[in-house]
């Protein structure tokens, strides 16, 4: 799979291109690299996968936004429904040839038609430190989700004839209801209340899941949180949400990232800002001072004659930008602090100093 690849470049498009441009460019390239046209040439097959991956991301509004914001991330693909991408272009037949083994579990999930029942999404959160948000971090999170029951394989019953067609709706899952109103009979369809829309009745329910076909389990997922992520940003991981049972598509997992504030470092766009206080003498005479940076402690030099509110900029020591290639700066604001209390000796020295400079005091 492509790693940190520029999907726009793969399709030969500008970053601000429209959806219809994405579609037409993909169609053109897919025809060119279609494995049937190229007699199974592995290079064009690779190319076909690459453009399909780019198309899958850029043609989906949510994924495109996530990609534009965060760059490549393997979470973009977990459980991705590739079948529907191909059927849209009439490539459904080649799915197994192309993705059967090569892509393995990365694209598992959606190769049948998209009319399958879809499980609900799960929202959860993860806390990361300020430094982790600067560089990006891998985090394994645990959460509760409904997963297909292993005992009955999601069918709801382990018995051969444990499931029968619903007699109320004849297996269609919906019933027609006729209502008499003043404008005549109105026929509406409603979900069958007997089978709940599944068209089937579980006669001999599985003991493990009580006939539902799914069970609550603890799940783990490794998140690849990109550097530069903001507090409150959320990552969508396809296919890691709830399962509604057999022959279905899992919902998604939505993870909101909470960044714990740092005691001295603050974020400002891609820059990191911190404040240091130095004394009047340190400002006038210059000094070396140790400060906290994203990369650990660092000694910086304060030049003689430094003024209050002067800034020192440490280039490329800020947050990793979300596209992952550059870093912001670290800006240090210098505060010159005047002592509020002086000893008798200090007063004598300062007075002497002021007299020497003919400064009017007291
Ligand atoms: Zn079961
Ligand atoms: Zn029914």
């Amino acid at each position: 799979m492509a790693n940190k690849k520029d999907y726009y470049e793969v399709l030969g498009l500008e970053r601000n291109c429209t959806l219809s441009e994405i579609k037409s460019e993909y169609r053109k390239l897919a025809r060119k690299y279609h494995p049937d046209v190229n007699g199974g040439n592995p290079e064009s097959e690779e190319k076909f996968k690459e453009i399909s991956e780019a198309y899958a991301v850029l043609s989906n509004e949510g994924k495109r936004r996530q990609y534009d914001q965060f760059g490549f991330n393997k979470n973009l693909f977990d459980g991705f429904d590739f079948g529907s991408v191909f059927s849209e272009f009439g490539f459904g037949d080649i799915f197994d040839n192309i993705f059967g083994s090569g892509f393995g579990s990365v694209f598992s999930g959606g190769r049948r038609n998209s009319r399958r029942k879809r499980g609900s999404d799960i929202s959860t959160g993860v806390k990361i430190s300020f430094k982790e948000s600067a560089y990006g971090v891998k985090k394994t999170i645990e959460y509760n989700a409904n997963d297909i029951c292993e005992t009955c394989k999601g069918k709801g019953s382990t018995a051969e004839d444990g499931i029968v067609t619903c007699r109320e709706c004849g297996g269609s899952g919906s019933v027609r209801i006729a209502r008499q109103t003043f404008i005549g009979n109105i026929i509406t369809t409603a979900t069958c209340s007997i089978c709940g829309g599944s068209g089937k009745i579980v006669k001999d329910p599985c003991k493990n899941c009580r006939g539902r076909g799914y069970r609550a389990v603890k799940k783990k997922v490794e998140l690849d949180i990109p550097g530069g992520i903001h507090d409150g940003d959320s990552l969508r991981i396809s296919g890691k949400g709830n399962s509604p049972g057999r022959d279905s598509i899992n919902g998604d997992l939505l993870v909101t990232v909470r960044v714990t504030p740092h005691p001295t470092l603050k974020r400002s766009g891609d820059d990191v800002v911190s404040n240091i206080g130095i004394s009047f003498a340190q400002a006038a005479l210059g000094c070396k001072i140790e400060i906290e940076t994203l990369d650990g402690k660092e000694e910086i030099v304060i030049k003689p004659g430094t003024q209050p509110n002067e800034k020192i900029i440490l280039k490329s020591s800020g947050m990793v930008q979300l596209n992952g290639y550059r870093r912001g700066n670290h800006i240090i604001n210098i505060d010159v602090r005047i002592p509020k209390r002086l000893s008798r000796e200090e007063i004598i020295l300062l007075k002497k100093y002021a007299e020497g400079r003919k400064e009017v005091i007291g």
Side-chain angles (χ1 to χ4, degrees):
M1 190 168 45
N3 195 20
K4 293 228 170 188
K5 196 157 281 185
D6 187 330
Y7 289 141
Y8 293 98
E9 212 174 280
V10 166
L11 294 177
L13 290 164
E14 299 288 325
R15 291 192 88 80
N16 57 0
C17 60
T18 63
L19 181 61
S20 69
E21 284 169 334
I22 294 170
K23 277 197 177 172
S24 83
E25 206 48 41
Y26 173 67
R27 185 178 288 118
K28 213 161 73 192
L29 292 170
R31 288 224 179 95
K32 186 171 162 197
Y33 293 109
H34 194 293
D36 288 356
V37 182
N38 296 282
N41 173 342
E43 257 168 55
S44 59
E45 188 173 310
E46 208 39 58
K47 188 80 190 160
F48 187 81
K49 280 182 192 171
E50 199 177 283
I51 57 171
S52 300
E53 183 187 318
Y55 175 77
V57 172
L58 299 185
S59 64
N60 176 302
E61 204 190 325
K63 286 189 187 294
R64 182 178 178 181
R65 203 180 318 122
Q66 199 163 328
Y67 173 75
D68 287 345
Q69 211 182 347
F70 303 132
F72 176 79
N73 184 317
K74 79 174 173 60
N75 294 336
L76 282 169
F77 293 100
D78 278 345
F80 193 78
D81 186 359
F82 242 74
S84 65
V85 169
F86 290 134
S87 56
E88 192 185 337
F89 287 91
F91 301 147
D93 50 326
I94 63 159
F95 187 88
D96 280 330
N97 295 336
I98 291 282
F99 295 103
S101 54
F103 270 39
S105 61
V106 179
F107 289 127
S108 68
R111 58 196 233 186
R112 304 239 200 105
N113 69 50
S114 50
R115 261 175 293 159
R116 288 187 296 166
K117 228 202 283 178
R118 188 179 181 279
S120 54
D121 293 341
I122 297 171
S123 296
T124 184
V126 65
K127 265 192 190 161
I128 61 172
S129 72
F130 185 78
K131 286 191 181 184
E132 286 171 337
S133 80
Y135 291 120
V137 64
K138 284 194 196 320
K139 284 266 161 175
T140 302
I141 58 164
E142 273 197 342
Y143 61 103
N144 295 315
N146 293 331
D147 206 356
I148 284 203
C149 170
E150 292 145 33
T151 311
C152 63
K153 303 278 178 286
K155 283 185 289 188
S157 175
T158 48
E160 190 85 338
D161 57 352
I163 296 163
V164 293
T165 303
C166 173
R167 267 194 248 158
E168 182 73 15
C169 62
S172 69
S174 55
V175 287
R176 285 152 65 89
I177 300 164
R179 273 190 304 139
Q180 275 200 337
T181 72
F182 65 95
I183 52 163
N185 269 357
I186 292 182
I187 306 214
T188 51
T189 26
T191 303
C192 171
S193 60
I194 304 298
C195 63
S198 68
K200 295 191 173 73
I201 300 283
V202 182
K203 232 174 45 176
D204 183 6
C206 163
K207 293 198 174 51
N208 196 24
C209 63
R210 287 196 242 118
R212 290 181 306 183
Y214 58 83
R215 290 194 71 199
V217 293
K218 274 217 181 314
K219 277 196 173 182
K220 264 189 198 170
V221 67
E222 192 187 65
L223 289 173
D224 197 355
I225 301 171
I229 198 154
H230 290 83
D231 179 49
D233 278 345
S234 78
L235 299 169
R236 177 181 285 269
I237 299 106
S238 302
K240 298 287 181 190
N242 283 319
S243 163
R246 192 184 175 216
D247 259 342
S248 61
I249 300 168
N250 285 3
D252 296 342
L253 177 68
L254 296 161
V255 187
T256 303
V257 178
R258 303 258 63 140
V259 180
T260 311
H262 191 276
T264 55
L265 304 176
K266 300 263 173 302
R267 178 174 188 162
S268 170
D270 291 325
D271 295 332
V272 165
V273 180
S274 64
N275 303 312
I276 54 165
I278 56 173
S279 73
F280 160 75
Q282 284 175 315
L285 303 171
C287 65
K288 283 183 183 153
I289 202 160
E290 196 179 65
I291 61 148
E292 175 85 24
T293 72
L294 284 175
D295 308 301
K297 302 250 187 249
E298 205 169 302
E299 198 177 62
I300 56 163
V301 176
I302 306 287
K303 284 183 307 212
T306 291
Q307 302 299 310
N309 305 320
E310 241 177 67
K311 292 178 197 311
I312 292 178
I313 294 170
L314 305 177
K315 287 232 181 268
S316 301
S317 297
M319 309 295 286
V320 171
Q321 289 176 0
L322 274 167
N323 56 28
Y325 302 113
R326 244 178 276 147
R327 284 180 70 177
N329 300 324
H330 183 162
I331 299 162
I332 303 154
N333 295 318
I334 299 167
D335 183 14
V336 178
R337 288 168 192 162
I338 309 298
K340 283 194 175 157
R341 265 193 226 144
L342 295 168
S343 68
R344 200 179 285 260
E345 203 176 329
E346 284 165 345
I347 292 170
I348 293 166
L349 285 170
L350 263 182
K351 277 192 173 161
K352 222 177 189 176
Y353 161 86
E355 278 162 21
R357 295 175 68 96
K358 304 212 164 24
E359 291 172 0
V360 181
I361 49 164

